[in-house]
Amino acid sequence: MFQASVVKWILIYLVISPTISIICLSDLHSANLLAAKRKRMSDRVRKMFYHAYDNYMMYAFPHDELKPLTKTFTDSLSELGNLKLEHLPQQYNGSALTLIESLSSLAILGNYTEFEKAIIWLSENLSFDVDARINLFECNIRVLGGLVSAHILATDSTNRLVQGIYKNQLLDLAEDLGRRFLPAFNTPTGLPYAWINLKHGVIADETTETSTSGCGSLILEMGALSRLTGDPRFETAALRALRKLWSMRSSLNLLGTTLDVATGDWIEYSSGIGAGVDSFYEYLMKAYILFGRDEIWKMFQSAYVAVQKYFRHGPWYHEADMRTGIATYWQLTSLQAFWPGLQVLVGDIEAANSSHREFFKVWKKYGVLPERYLLDHQMLHPTEKYYPLRPELAESTFYLYQATKDPWYMEVGESIMNSLNAHTRVKGGFASIRDVTTMQLEDHQHSFFLAETCKYLYLLFDDSFLLNQNYIFTTEGHPLPVRSNWHEKFPKAYNLSNGSSTRNGKQIKRTSAMSLQVCPASMIQHESNERRLESACHIPDSRADHRCFSEDDCGIDANTCRRRSCSMAGYCGLWSFI
């Protein structure tokens, strides 16, 4: 009997082993095909980057940005960009904005030779002692952020710079620029002016109007500068502005879009997650990751829940009045496409995927993402029909692929890349689109095309730069490492057994993943209720059949983050909003 059994199992093995081999070989073949495709796609993005970069260096450097149709330049960072060349101050020859913005991209692409050449040129030629009025927000995210990030990459022990070449030149430039920012914060409220003169500070009769993003999105770059230089003034100024801005929120935890830095009064009460507000939300989350400040996490948690409550409508996000939460404008703006990427950091993957797919549908409809699309009329905005090579959809695609490893997102990236090459590539670089209905081009290659659009597409197909590293990316795509010595403290570690409940004496208080500062996917419910959490704010009803005897039996809705209530019939639901 033993021999017969052995013979039987041998025969079974001989029958199924070829099938197992075929399956294994098939999986290996698929993996090889995927790897080969990723290599082809990353090579194509590399060529796109160098087509844009080489043309900038040939026709526009050392000025700010390239005009690819005429192969000329524009100094777009300051108001000097509106002057003709012969009217520029004699000492002004541009800030080499696109070069600064390209530094981290060159490092990610592994081109340390060009990275090194750029550092040497900047250290010998770049000066901020110029009579130029610049936008504080744009200069912060583009120039200060580019210099700080590149300094960190240049001092990384794994880089391949020639020994002794780098001696903190970029950090010295960043510190000089940061000091020139500080007079902007000398206001009664601590909220900074939107504009400042690099040589003379705040000029007489300067406008006191700024945006929420403009004064609430400075903490990453200025905080990092303080950590690197040991000078606390930069982080202190940015943090004071952030705290003041948060104190101006409404009772609904919503903020407006524009305000007065002298009085602290709101000018525009309507806001959403798009232009004028977008990076405020982004920097709350990323500042918590970078610096570990609990007060910033509490700001973000309240702000994020308020967005989900008052702005979200299905997969879309409209605008609303900060005072009432009532919808004001039903429109998609291209800047909103960053939101799914931010939701990945929160752990709201399903919501991120839902919105991302809607953005991509609009991209597919027009070939690119128009600046503004009217959701209530399902049509383009009559005047804002342009596409300036924005990176936000590529950015969210990268984040969602990193979170899910779903190859569909690589197909999205390939589609974005194909559209850019088909509609915006010209002999002199990549041109913006003036009208997405006609694909008429505009003579402008924005620096963020190299800093972000190409970078996120490249990282989508080749993420080797991120191997064994932990970075957050600024709103301009500049990587900053998450370092233990920059953290006030690390968040508590929660494992699967922690569930979503905390015990206070004899009472069990059900809590959301966001309250515990963990990813929803890593949590299960306590033993009596092992249902999956559907979002970061989600708290399931206490019973699977949604029956209730009191309000305490009802949870938080996964989509709207609103408290569910118990009806007279004894069922949990969003009854007060029906």
Side-chain angles (χ1 to χ4, degrees):
M1 289 180 63
F2 174 76
Q3 289 178 336
S5 178
V6 171
V7 170
K8 181 179 75 173
W9 284 111
I10 291 174
L11 289 173
I12 291 173
Y13 173 76
L14 291 174
V15 170
I16 67 171
S17 60
T19 304
I20 294 172
S21 300
I22 290 171
I23 293 172
C24 292
L25 288 172
S26 176
D27 290 344
L28 181 61
H29 180 64
S30 298
N32 288 338
L33 287 176
L34 182 61
K37 181 175 182 178
R38 293 187 69 177
K39 179 66 168 62
R40 288 196 307 272
M41 294 299 103
S42 63
D43 286 345
R44 287 183 62 192
V45 180
R46 183 185 291 268
K47 290 176 181 177
M48 288 173 60
F49 173 85
Y50 283 116
H51 181 67
Y53 178 82
D54 291 344
N55 275 287
Y56 163 75
M57 294 301 292
M58 181 176 294
Y59 299 113
F61 175 77
H63 293 270
D64 286 349
E65 293 177 321
L66 170 68
K67 300 176 79 172
L69 299 179
T70 56
K71 298 179 181 178
T72 55
F73 62 84
T74 175
D75 285 311
S76 55
L77 187 62
S78 74
E79 63 179 1
L80 296 178
N82 298 319
L83 301 179
K84 294 182 179 179
L85 179 60
E86 59 267 25
H87 296 150
L88 288 173
Q90 186 174 3
Q91 80 278 16
Y92 190 80
N93 65 349
S95 65
L97 174 63
T98 296
L99 181 65
I100 295 171
E101 289 258 71
S102 299
L103 288 172
S104 59
S105 296
L106 289 168
I108 287 173
L109 290 169
N111 190 343
Y112 287 98
T113 300
E114 193 67 22
F115 183 65
E116 187 176 287
K117 284 169 56 180
I119 289 175
I120 294 171
W121 187 91
L122 290 169
S123 64
E124 294 176 352
N125 296 278
L126 185 61
S127 171
F128 298 117
D129 190 27
V130 291
D131 186 7
R133 178 175 176 263
I134 56 92
N135 182 275
L136 178 67
F137 168 74
E138 295 291 347
C139 198
N140 174 71
I141 65 173
R142 298 189 187 206
V143 182
L144 184 62
L147 292 173
V148 167
S149 175
H151 161 74
I152 293 170
L153 294 173
T155 54
D156 188 334
S157 60
T158 63
N159 72 46
R160 287 170 276 173
L161 296 181
V162 175
Q163 193 71 25
I165 286 289
Y166 187 68
K167 299 177 181 178
N168 294 339
Q169 300 99 312
L170 299 182
L171 182 60
D172 292 340
L173 285 167
E175 187 173 13
D176 176 51
L177 181 61
R179 287 180 181 143
R180 296 174 189 274
F181 284 176
L182 292 177
F185 293 84
N186 293 332
T187 64
T189 62
L191 298 167
Y193 286 95
W195 295 84
I196 188 168
N197 186 289
L198 289 176
K199 194 177 188 72
H200 303 296
V202 179
I203 61 176
D205 300 321
E206 182 59 85
T207 177
T208 57
E209 182 175 345
T210 190
S211 67
T212 298
S213 289
C215 56
S217 309
L218 306 167
I219 187 64
L220 291 185
E221 294 84 0
M222 296 188 74
L225 182 61
S226 281
R227 304 304 170 101
L228 292 168
T229 62
D231 187 340
R233 291 181 298 166
F234 312 115
E235 184 174 358
T236 298
L239 189 57
R240 181 190 175 205
L242 185 61
R243 287 169 174 156
K244 174 59 180 177
L245 186 64
W246 183 242
S247 74
M248 294 164 58
R249 70 194 185 279
S250 71
S251 60
L252 305 179
N253 287 327
L254 295 176
L255 293 88
T257 302
T258 57
L259 58 135
D260 189 301
V261 301
T263 64
D265 295 331
W266 289 105
I267 299 172
E268 175 55 64
Y269 292 98
S270 178
S271 73
I273 58 169
V277 190
D278 50 353
S279 55
F280 165 75
Y281 295 109
E282 178 184 3
Y283 271 36
L284 286 180
M285 180 64 183
K286 291 181 176 179
Y288 173 70
I289 294 172
L290 195 62
F291 303 124
R293 285 182 175 269
D294 281 339
E295 67 167 316
I296 295 180
W297 170 259
K298 291 173 183 176
M299 292 180 195
F300 175 74
Q301 181 179 357
S302 298
Y304 181 80
V305 169
V307 166
Q308 299 301 97
K309 277 185 179 181
Y310 300 107
F311 296 161
R312 187 178 181 186
H313 183 79
W316 299 108
Y317 290 83
H318 57 72
E319 296 180 21
D321 189 305
M322 63 174 284
R323 299 163 296 185
T324 63
I326 297 174
T328 52
Y329 301 106
W330 292 80
Q331 57 189 0
L332 169 155
T333 63
S334 61
L335 288 172
Q336 292 176 354
F338 90 98
W339 189 257
L342 179 62
Q343 289 187 302
V344 169
L345 296 181
V346 178
D348 269 352
I349 306 301
E350 290 188 18
N353 174 64
S354 175
S355 295
H356 176 272
R357 287 177 181 269
E358 296 302 320
F359 280 112
F360 186 54
K361 285 179 183 177
V362 177
W363 178 287
K364 293 287 285 184
K365 181 177 181 179
Y366 294 102
V368 292
L369 196 61
E371 188 69 3
R372 199 174 295 270
Y373 182 80
L374 304 179
L375 295 173
D376 46 352
H377 298 292
Q378 292 293 295
M379 61 176 284
L380 287 172
H381 189 279
T383 60
E384 297 186 47
K385 298 185 286 186
Y386 54 89
Y387 170 67
L389 306 174
R390 289 205 189 278
E392 284 76 17
L393 184 61
E395 175 186 1
S396 287
T397 304
F398 157 72
Y399 277 108
L400 277 161
Y401 178 74
Q402 286 293 315
T404 66
K405 300 303 179 185
D406 185 340
W408 181 80
Y409 294 108
M410 286 199 288
E411 294 177 17
V412 173
E414 183 178 6
S415 179
I416 293 173
M417 184 167 51
N418 289 340
S419 293
L420 290 171
N421 280 311
H423 302 303
T424 70
R425 184 179 176 121
V426 296
K427 189 174 181 180
F430 285 84
S432 299
I433 295 175
R434 187 185 301 274
D435 186 335
V436 302
T437 61
T438 63
M439 290 301 174
Q440 178 188 3
L441 296 178
E442 184 175 354
D443 197 12
H444 199 166
Q445 178 182 283
H446 291 271
S447 63
F448 54 68
F449 180 73
L450 292 99
E452 298 183 82
T453 310
C454 289
K455 179 181 290 160
Y456 285 122
L457 285 173
Y458 184 81
L459 288 172
L460 173 64
F461 299 114
D462 184 349
D463 57 4
S464 55
F465 171 77
L466 302 173
L467 187 64
N468 299 321
Q469 300 289 335
N470 195 3
Y471 289 101
I472 59 102
F473 290 88
T474 70
T475 196
E476 197 70 9
H478 299 305
L480 297 174
V482 180
R483 293 176 168 176
S484 59
N485 61 344
W486 285 13
H487 260 240
E488 286 193 346
K489 66 175 184 177
F490 281 109
K492 296 177 182 178
Y494 288 88
N495 55 42
L496 293 179
S497 63
N498 285 119
S500 65
S501 62
T502 56
R503 188 177 295 274
N504 181 14
K506 293 183 178 180
Q507 289 185 325
I508 292 180
K509 180 183 179 182
R510 292 178 298 127
T511 56
S512 67
M514 179 168 266
S515 296
L516 292 176
Q517 298 169 279
V518 297
C519 180
S522 69
M523 295 180 59
I524 61 172
Q525 304 303 300
H526 51 84
E527 293 179 2
S528 63
N529 188 8
E530 293 189 356
R531 278 172 287 146
R532 185 173 62 89
L533 295 185
E534 298 174 16
S535 74
C537 65
H538 182 212
I539 299 178
D541 300 332
S542 60
R543 293 168 56 98
D545 60 3
H546 308 293
R547 292 297 304 270
C548 57
F549 298 99
S550 70
E551 300 291 334
D552 292 338
D553 293 327
C554 300
I556 301 292
D557 183 68
N559 294 322
T560 65
C561 294
R562 294 180 183 271
R563 166 68 65 178
R564 291 161 64 82
S565 58
C566 189
S567 70
M568 293 180 64
Y571 285 92
C572 293
L574 295 173
W575 306 117
S576 58
F577 301 100
I578 295 177

